[in-house]
Amino acid sequence: MEKEKKQKAISRMKELSEILQKASKAYYQEDREIMSNLEYDRLYDELVCLEDETQMVLAGSPTVSVGYEAVDELPKETHESPMLSLDKTKDREVLRGFVGNHKTLLSWKMDGLTIVLTYRDGKLQKAVTRGNGVIGEVVTNNARVFDNIPHKIPYRGELILRGEAIITYSEFEKINCMIEDVDARYKNPRNLCSGSVRQLNNEITAKRHVRFYAFALVKADDVDFQNSRQCQMEWLKEQGFEIVEYRVVNADTLDEAMEYFAENIQQNDFPSDGLVALYDDIAYGDSLGRTAKFPRNAFAFKWADEMAETTLEEIEWSPSRTGLINPVAIFTPVELEGSTVSRASVHNVSIMRKLELGIGDTIRVYKANMIIPQIGENLTRSGVKEIPTICPACQGPTSIEMVNDVESLYCRNPECPAKAIKGFTLFVSRDAMNIDGLSEATLEKFIGKGFIHEFGDIFEIGKYKDEIVQMEGFGEKSFRNLMESIEKAKNTELPRVIYALGIPNIGLANAKVICREFGYDIEKIRNLTEEELAEIDGIGPVIARSFVEYFAKAGRKEVIDHLLSHLQLKAVPQVNENQKFTGINFVITGNVNHFANRNEVKTEIEKRGGKVTGSVTSKTNYLINNDVASGSSKNKKAKELGIPIISEEDFIRMLEEQ
């Protein structure tokens, strides 16, 4: 298809998808009709014809259905070529020197999560995060539900491209508005995007409306790009990808383009922390090579920080899990980079002294990289007056220590609950006690105020109602929702409780095995010996030792008794008499067709005494993968080790065998 005709077709496909989605939603979710069946079918058929004509299927097309799937982990994968950071500057003249007389593409430096996509035979095969630049996480299932990634493209060779996954400001605000607890809200769109892209359940990703913008083509053999990065970008657009907006510049036209970007950044609905300059000439850029840290064919420009003057109202001391007590500056709210800020970390006592921070001082604040609030300057410098001598979390003694030439305040109490914040966070998590409304930030706040010292205290938090409803981000409704969630959590299963305790090396799967082996008898379980545990297949001496040592620690019995006094443990689950998979280890990968998700397959295996692990090892007995012939890393490993790769149908036949 000629270029103009193709772009019109793509535009019409987007329009049709939106119309048909609205019609489906009205009919199936809202019980109303906004068009006749005849009209719907006519538009649907038009979309199918356009998809056949362009050999392209865009994200959100009603002609495809992307199933939701939960996974146990995100596999790691090494990138074919390292993804280097870019050298950067805040000086326009330095950037001009880099551009020189070269034709250069100047584009937004989007602030999200970099993703590498691989397409083969016109279909998305793989999506991997940047990670540390060498090794990333495989997020293919999640990428399939991004709002704008094409599911099918015309090009049939292997295509590898890079781009930025982002969540818009408007979507970020919409999601945060649904979270009543202010402390549980996401700090910025980048954090939200990172968490959304790396979800284990892609149904959650789909609800976050992640978008992908291509910024670099890595590989597309047998395509003549005329030695031009611009040609590559336009070709990616023809394949159905949204690309990062760019301007073609040289040293003489740089100012005009930069003014355009500077004017538009305030109106943009997406986060950006600067610009990227990339030489158009592919061969020339590649010939420059790279330094130890940066490629030489590209350069980043970071925006100068916007400063605002305000008044320091308070220093809040926040205990952390390391014992470090961090000073946080609370100041009169100011507008910075389009949002209101009222607090900034000061990091340590040395910085406080250097800034001579005192209550009532006039300070200048900014957002580092337009994101993280920082104190840039203290104009009045009245001096540091008081540093706490007791920890706000446990009332234990504090001391100032010099570590690497930096003065910091520490809590000296080894039993300070603030040091166990990760343990409390695990305790309330979904697979453990599943208590909504207790984010890590909220837990830190409650612990800092002395409301929580041990797990059982969480179920007694109601006695602090008067104080909690007055806290920032809490009101009567939030408190009521929290109490309902805590009440619901009281009715639980013993494996969840064992896992929630945070015993080293004990995950939910091991907790289930131990509970099943010893009849769900909590008294017996917490008095087990290393020898008794070591007799369980899959429980080695390290796990057995950490389990026994946990329950043997002084004071632990009282803590657990206190917790159990608030819980109603569910009846012991009925064990399937057919334990045909005892001693057999499975790995499950890929999509499933006959079960709702892979967790259902896992449940069927565990009911019959089997075990499901996340990676293929010499101890694996079967790999379940509907794509038996795929070249995935798990399939390759299974073949190397001589492990049978079975389909879902094969597994179902195994279930049916007596």
Side-chain angles (χ1 to χ4, degrees), residues 18 20-34 40 68 203 206-207 209:
E18 187 175 342
L20 292 169
Q21 283 172 350
K22 286 180 180 177
S24 293
K25 182 180 179 183
Y27 185 81
Y28 290 108
Q29 298 178 27
E30 300 168 2
D31 198 25
R32 62 190 181 92
E33 291 188 33
I34 60 175
Y40 184 94
Y68 296 134
E203 185 172 5
K207 293 175 181 177
H209 296 290

Side-chain angles (χ1 to χ4, degrees), residues 105-111 148 161-166 211-216 229-230 233-234 236-237 241-247 261 268 270-272 274-276:
L105 307 188
L106 189 67
S107 63
W108 295 111
K109 186 176 183 295
M110 289 184 159
D111 193 25
N148 64 335
L161 69 151
R162 295 172 180 170
E164 199 79 354
I166 60 109
R211 301 188 68 80
F212 175 86
Y213 291 89
F215 61 66
R229 296 288 182 191
Q230 182 180 12
M233 295 291 280
E234 294 304 314
L236 285 173
K237 190 191 294 186
F241 296 96
E242 290 194 50
I243 62 173
V244 175
E245 182 184 13
Y246 68 87
R247 289 284 186 274
F261 285 114
N268 282 346
F270 58 83
S272 167
L275 304 172
V276 173

Side-chain angles (χ1 to χ4, degrees), residues 338-350:
S339 66
T340 302
V341 294
S342 60
R343 52 195 294 131
S345 175
V346 190
H347 302 294
N348 54 57
V349 174
S350 287

Side-chain angles (χ1 to χ4, degrees), residues 404-420:
N404 296 326
D405 298 323
V406 172
E407 281 187 300
S408 297
L409 185 68
Y410 287 88
C411 171
R412 306 312 332 153
N413 176 12
E415 300 300 322
C416 178
K419 295 180 181 179

Side-chain angles (χ1 to χ4, degrees), residues 417-653:
K419 295 180 181 179
I421 184 64
K422 279 296 182 189
F424 284 101
T425 304
L426 169 66
F427 182 83
V428 303
S429 65
R430 183 181 62 185
D431 288 338
M433 300 306 294
N434 194 22
I435 303 177
D436 288 331
L438 278 181
S439 66
E440 185 169 324
T442 301
L443 282 166
E444 280 196 90
K445 191 170 286 188
F446 285 178
I447 290 168
K449 288 184 175 293
F451 298 165
I452 298 173
H453 298 277
E454 57 184 67
F455 295 138
D457 294 337
I458 291 174
F459 297 92
E460 300 169 4
I461 204 76
K463 62 188 178 184
Y464 300 105
K465 175 183 177 181
D466 291 344
E467 293 170 78
I468 292 173
V469 295
Q470 297 301 318
M471 290 167 58
E472 182 183 0
F474 266 92
E476 291 283 348
K477 185 176 180 181
S478 295
F479 179 80
R480 186 168 62 252
N481 289 342
L482 174 60
M483 293 309 297
E484 287 175 1
S485 183
I486 289 174
E487 191 63 32
K488 183 179 177 183
K490 290 180 179 179
N491 186 24
T492 189
E493 301 163 347
L494 184 57
R496 283 177 172 269
V497 178
I498 299 297
Y499 170 60
L501 295 176
I503 304 169
N505 304 308
I506 300 295
L508 184 56
N510 280 337
K512 287 179 178 178
V513 169
I514 292 169
C515 289
R516 187 167 61 237
E517 190 73 19
F518 296 100
Y520 293 81
D521 184 337
I522 180 59
E523 289 307 317
K524 187 173 184 178
I525 286 170
R526 64 178 179 171
N527 289 293
L528 288 169
T529 65
E530 290 185 37
E531 291 74 21
E532 288 173 313
L533 281 162
E535 289 177 3
I536 304 174
D537 184 43
I539 304 293
V542 174
I543 295 176
R545 188 179 309 115
S546 62
F547 191 90
V548 171
E549 287 177 352
Y550 177 88
F551 287 102
K553 186 173 180 180
R556 191 79 78 189
K557 181 181 186 303
E558 291 74 18
V559 168
I560 293 174
D561 284 343
H562 180 208
L563 168 62
L564 291 174
S565 71
H566 291 288
L567 304 180
Q568 293 89 45
L569 296 177
K570 294 179 181 178
V572 177
Q574 295 298 309
V575 177
N576 191 319
E577 291 183 8
N578 180 0
Q579 295 293 286
K580 65 194 304 178
F581 293 151
T582 299
I584 299 178
N585 297 319
F586 290 83
V587 173
I588 311 166
T589 189
N591 296 317
V592 292
N593 303 318
H594 300 286
F595 295 87
N597 50 51
R598 295 203 309 233
N599 275 339
E600 278 199 3
V601 183
K602 182 179 179 182
T603 299
E604 292 300 320
I605 291 169
E606 290 178 343
K607 279 196 318 192
R608 292 163 176 79
K611 186 176 179 182
V612 177
T613 61
S615 55
V616 177
T617 70
S618 59
K619 293 183 178 180
T620 304
N621 298 100
Y622 295 98
L623 169 63
I624 301 174
N625 185 355
N626 280 326
D627 191 353
V628 175
S630 84
S632 70
S633 58
K634 284 189 173 71
N635 275 26
K636 287 178 182 176
K637 188 70 174 177
K639 288 174 183 175
E640 286 173 13
L641 297 172
I643 294 164
I645 304 171
I646 62 174
S647 68
E648 195 177 350
E649 286 76 13
D650 295 328
F651 173 70
I652 291 170
R653 281 193 288 273

Side-chain angles (χ1 to χ4, degrees), residues 318-339:
S318 176
S320 72
R321 61 189 64 91
T322 63
L324 179 67
I325 304 177
N326 299 293
V328 179
I330 311 298
F331 45 82
T332 305
V334 290
E335 288 288 321
L336 277 178
E337 314 291 359
S339 66

